[in-house]
Every structure is written in structure tokens, then in C-alpha cells.
Amino acid sequence: YVAYIQNKVRKQFWKKFADINNWQYEIWGDIEQESGIMFRQGNNREITHIIRGNIENRQFRIFNYAFSIGYGKDKKIYYYTVFAFKFNGAFPHSYLNNKHNSYGVNIGEKVTIPHDFGKDFVLLTPRKYEIEALEIFTPDILEKLLDSKFPHDVEFVNSEVLIFAGGQIGNFEILEKEFLRALEIEDLLDKKLDKFKFTAIGDMPHKL
């Protein structure tokens, strides 16, 4: 009964946020439609409370994502609020992992990045696509992420950028703050990613 009430309250919260902004709301999402490496982690993966909208001709989604690691008394559930933006360009799959988060992704090749940035982040990409990743994460981009003390993981896949903010959000002020932070990343990358193109390297996969 408690879980039922909690779910009902969360639905009201997210639907109200969508209605206020004239955005679309769906209670359930299809995890099988997601290509990101984060959506293949752990067990009991679930996407809920999806908001779809458009800001300045940029399609975006906001949704809740959860998965579990372990079983029984050792089971731990990880919760995320995800902000996803669609771009016009095409870029290889890559993952920017914040070292200070509670859960870390480790797959693919580690790209060599400046030492100051490497203390806080790991940049992962498919083998042979390190140069393309560095064309996105240029020194000015890395510097701005460091200066802003950016706290989240970021995944680039299928012309979409996904920002994983850890934890469940149930407060409008916090949600607006995180959405603005995500929009700053979108604004930082938009001109580059809308024009970005890459060529597949032989039969080397460009997905993590």
C-alpha cells in the first residue's frame, strides 16, 4: 500500500511538471528501445515517468531510470533522473564517467585526457574512435565542465546525449535546477554536435 501511494505521488509530480510546460507525459518507457550502455547495467531495469518536449527546436526527454545490483540483503538499487537531447549530427558511442559517482561504467577504451580533467572523469569510447571522442571533448569543453564542477555521467549514442543525474527527484526546485544544468551542457555542445560527422573505421564497431 505504501509503495502504491509513493508511485501515485510520483506520477502526480511528473505529470504536473509536464502539464505546466505543455509537454507530453507517459508513465512507462520501453527499456528495449534504449541503446545506451547505462541501460544494460544490472537487473530489474525500468524506465518510468517520461516527459517529451521541444525547446528552441531541440527535442528532449526527461525520465526516471532504475536498476539493481546484487540479490537479497546485498541488493542495491540505483536511481537516476535522465535528461536526453537529440542532435542533427552523427557521432560514435562514448561515455564520460564521473569518478565520484556511486556507480561507475567501465567498458571500451580509455581515452587519454588532460591530467586535471582525468582526476574527476574517465572518457570511454570504442576502440579506434579515440580521435573522434577528442574532437568532441576539446580542451575548452573540458575546462568548462571542470569549472562548473559538473557532477554527472554523460553518454553519447545514436545522435543523442544523455545526462545521468543520480537519485530520485521529487522537488520542483531541484528538478528545474538539474534541467537548467542539462540545458547548459546542450548549449555547450549544440553547434558542434549538430554538424558532427564521422566515418566508420573498417569493420570496427562504433558502439560500446
Side-chain angles (χ1 to χ4, degrees):
Y1 180 76
V2 173
Y4 169 78
I5 294 298
Q6 289 175 336
N7 289 334
K8 187 174 182 179
V9 169
R10 289 195 64 75
K11 178 182 177 181
Q12 290 173 343
F13 170 78
W14 286 96
K15 190 174 187 307
K16 183 176 180 180
F17 186 70
D19 290 343
I20 288 172
N21 293 284
N22 293 317
W23 296 331
Q24 296 178 348
Y25 170 81
E26 305 164 29
I27 189 169
W28 296 105
D30 184 359
I31 195 76
E32 299 301 326
Q33 298 298 314
E34 302 295 334
S35 301
I37 191 68
M38 181 59 95
F39 302 109
R40 301 204 297 270
Q41 304 300 301
N43 305 292
N44 304 310
R45 296 178 291 271
E46 184 177 80
I47 288 176
T48 55
H49 305 299
I50 308 100
I51 291 174
R52 302 179 189 273
N54 189 301
I55 291 182
E56 295 182 353
N57 296 318
R58 177 77 60 204
Q59 294 179 27
F60 72 87
R61 297 182 293 156
I62 308 172
F63 56 91
N64 289 190
Y65 171 55
F67 66 90
S68 63
I69 298 289
Y71 299 92
K73 65 179 182 180
D74 297 321
K75 180 178 177 179
K76 183 174 182 180
I77 302 176
Y78 292 87
Y79 296 99
Y80 292 91
T81 300
V82 184
F83 302 89
F85 299 94
K86 191 74 173 178
F87 292 87
N88 296 324
F91 32 85
H93 198 171
S94 58
Y95 195 97
L96 186 67
N97 186 70
N98 188 307
K99 291 183 177 180
H100 307 296
N101 288 341
S102 59
Y103 185 85
V105 170
N106 186 14
I107 190 171
E109 299 291 316
K110 292 183 179 179
V111 180
T112 301
I113 53 179
H115 175 69
D116 286 348
F117 193 77
K119 290 188 293 186
D120 295 317
F121 292 94
V122 176
L123 179 57
L124 304 164
T125 194
R127 188 166 174 264
K128 298 292 186 181
Y129 290 92
E130 294 90 340
I131 292 176
E132 284 81 358
L134 289 173
E135 288 176 351
I136 295 173
F137 288 98
T138 49
D140 60 316
I141 299 293
L142 298 177
E143 183 177 352
K144 288 178 181 177
L145 289 173
L146 276 181
D147 289 345
S148 67
K149 295 182 172 57
F150 186 72
H152 305 315
D153 287 9
V154 185
E155 185 163 8
F156 296 68
V157 61
N158 289 352
S159 298
E160 196 172 41
V161 171
L162 301 107
I163 299 164
F164 294 90
Q168 294 179 301
I169 298 176
N171 176 286
F172 283 119
E173 184 177 349
I174 295 175
L175 180 55
E176 289 171 355
K177 177 182 176 181
E178 289 295 351
F179 190 32
L180 287 174
R181 195 201 304 265
L183 285 169
E184 288 174 359
I185 298 300
E186 183 275 331
D187 186 59
L188 187 63
L189 297 169
D190 60 356
K191 292 181 176 62
K192 182 178 296 187
L193 294 185
D194 276 337
K195 298 178 181 178
F196 203 92
K197 303 293 180 185
F198 79 101
T199 302
I201 302 172
D203 58 355
M204 299 298 294
H206 55 81
K207 294 284 186 68
L208 288 169

